[in-house]
């Protein structure tokens, strides 16, 4: 599997050097459309992720950072998330109007008025605060169209095996990044793994996300998405990034 990934990465990188020619494979687009259609039709979803990401510690010095997460998304404007990193748990709760972040290690929380839908909130959180909470691009109804507009190459790389399961392999590339997606071959088409490789400034880096433990169309009480400050916790100010 490692040799296959390295070979595919080399192919995708070489595609970025061939100018601005657009190549979008119809098989890959069909599979991506089915994934986007699936997520557009469900009412709620719960899943877990394992993430390995290159993070800049100093100039020209990257370290690998690992985290695990669990998320619940219900309707267009409810989200609850638990992220475990650096040996501690961090919680996010969004009720459609306010997002609250709570650190269990420091026993502090911060709250901010947020956009009125989950997808808008995730974009806002990334753009204003530099927090990419969850890789949720395929949850957008126009996911395939956005990918076609941003990626010069979209290719179906064939059927392969990942962790003992049959999956579809799709690769995309533009001049600044490559994306590889592995989609399960079950009746419900869902992502199994995504690898993003950023090729440009300030340094080349990679993020790998594994998805697992999917549950769909469960009904979760509103209390899951509301935040109740724990005893002796303190509130701090949420500062936007520069």
């Amino acid at each position: 599997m490692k040799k296959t990934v390295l070979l595919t990465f080399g192919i995708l990188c070489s595609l970025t050097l061939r100018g601005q020619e657009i190549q979008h494979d119809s098989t890959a687009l069909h599979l991506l459309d089915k994934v986007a259609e699936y997520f557009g039709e469900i009412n709620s979803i719960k899943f877990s992720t394992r993430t390995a990401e290159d993070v800049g510690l100093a100039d020209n010095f990257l370290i690998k950072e690992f985290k695990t997460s669990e998320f619940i998304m219900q309707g267009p404007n409810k989200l609850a998330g638990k992220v475990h990193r650096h040996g501690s748990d961090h919680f996010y709760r969004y009720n459609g109007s306010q997002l609250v972040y709570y650190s269990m290690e420091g026993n502090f929380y911060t709250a901010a008025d947020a956009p009125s839908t989950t997808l808008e909130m995730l974009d806002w959180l990334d753009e204003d605060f530099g927090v990419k909470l969850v890789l949720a691009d395929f949850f957008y109804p126009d996911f395939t169209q956005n990918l076609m507009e941003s990626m010069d190459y979209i290719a179906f790389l064939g059927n392969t095996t990942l962790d003992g399961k049959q999956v579809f392999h799709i690769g995309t590339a533009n001049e600044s990044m490559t994306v590889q997606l592995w989609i399960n071959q079950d009746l419900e088409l869902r992502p199994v793994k995504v690898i993003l490789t950023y090729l440009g400034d300030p340094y080349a880096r990679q993020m790998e996300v594994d998805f697992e433990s999917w549950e769909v169309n469960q009904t979760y009480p509103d209390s899951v998405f509301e935040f109740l400050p724990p005893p002796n916790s303190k509130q701090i100010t949420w500062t936007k990034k520069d």
Side-chain angles (χ1 to χ4, degrees):
M1 183 62 190
K2 183 177 181 180
K3 291 182 179 179
T4 302
V5 170
L6 291 175
L7 176 60
T8 301
F9 175 65
I11 293 173
L12 290 173
C13 287
S14 69
L15 291 177
T16 67
L17 304 177
R18 293 177 49 191
Q20 298 302 315
E21 182 183 359
I22 305 298
Q23 294 183 12
H24 292 164
D25 176 72
S26 59
T27 300
L29 295 179
H30 172 72
L31 291 171
L32 295 172
D33 275 340
K34 294 298 291 183
V35 173
E37 181 181 9
Y38 171 80
F39 284 111
E41 292 178 345
I42 59 179
N43 297 317
S44 71
I45 190 162
K46 180 180 181 181
F47 61 96
S48 300
T49 62
R50 291 179 287 113
T51 302
E53 183 176 8
D54 293 329
V55 177
L57 185 64
D59 291 343
N60 300 317
F61 181 26
L62 295 177
I63 62 172
K64 188 74 72 176
E65 188 174 87
F66 301 91
K67 62 183 179 182
T68 58
S69 305
E70 182 181 349
F71 297 98
I72 296 174
M73 301 170 69
Q74 182 165 276
N77 59 358
K78 298 285 192 300
L79 178 143
K82 174 185 176 182
V83 180
H84 183 82
R85 68 175 185 273
H86 301 155
S88 62
D89 291 331
H90 306 262
F91 296 84
Y92 296 83
R93 299 188 189 274
Y94 167 70
N95 61 9
S97 61
Q98 187 179 69
L99 175 68
V100 179
Y101 161 70
Y102 171 67
S103 169
M104 178 171 287
E105 181 180 34
N107 197 25
F108 66 81
Y109 67 95
T110 183
D113 293 334
S116 59
T117 71
T118 300
L119 297 180
E120 290 175 329
M121 181 275 292
L122 291 173
D123 286 340
W124 162 81
L125 186 61
D126 186 9
E127 294 171 4
D128 285 16
F129 298 95
V131 177
K132 194 169 189 65
L133 183 58
V134 56
L135 187 64
D137 300 62
F138 36 79
F139 293 165
Y140 290 76
D142 51 357
F143 164 57
T144 307
Q145 183 62 38
N146 289 343
L147 203 63
M148 292 174 63
E149 293 173 358
S150 61
M151 291 293 176
D152 299 328
Y153 297 90
I154 302 176
F156 175 61
L157 302 177
N159 304 305
T160 187
T161 302
L162 189 64
D163 295 331
K165 297 180 180 179
Q166 292 295 310
V167 293
F168 301 116
H169 190 189
I170 294 174
T172 77
N174 61 24
E175 63 182 7
S176 61
M177 72 180 301
T178 68
V179 180
Q180 294 184 71
L181 302 96
W182 288 264
I183 300 170
N184 64 12
Q185 295 187 14
D186 297 336
L187 294 177
E188 299 174 282
L189 295 185
R190 297 183 294 228
V192 176
K193 179 190 287 288
V194 179
I195 296 180
L196 292 82
T197 303
Y198 301 92
L199 306 174
D201 294 333
Y203 38 69
R205 62 198 190 281
Q206 194 171 76
M207 179 170 69
E208 179 176 341
V209 183
D210 291 279
F211 296 87
E212 54 193 18
S213 303
W214 297 92
E215 297 179 15
V216 299
N217 286 342
Q218 302 294 316
T219 301
Y220 301 96
D222 289 342
S223 59
V224 170
F225 311 99
E226 298 288 347
F227 176 73
L228 181 64
N232 302 317
S233 62
K234 59 182 178 180
Q235 184 173 6
I236 65 172
T237 301
W238 203 336
T239 305
K240 293 186 178 181
K241 67 179 182 181
D242 294 335

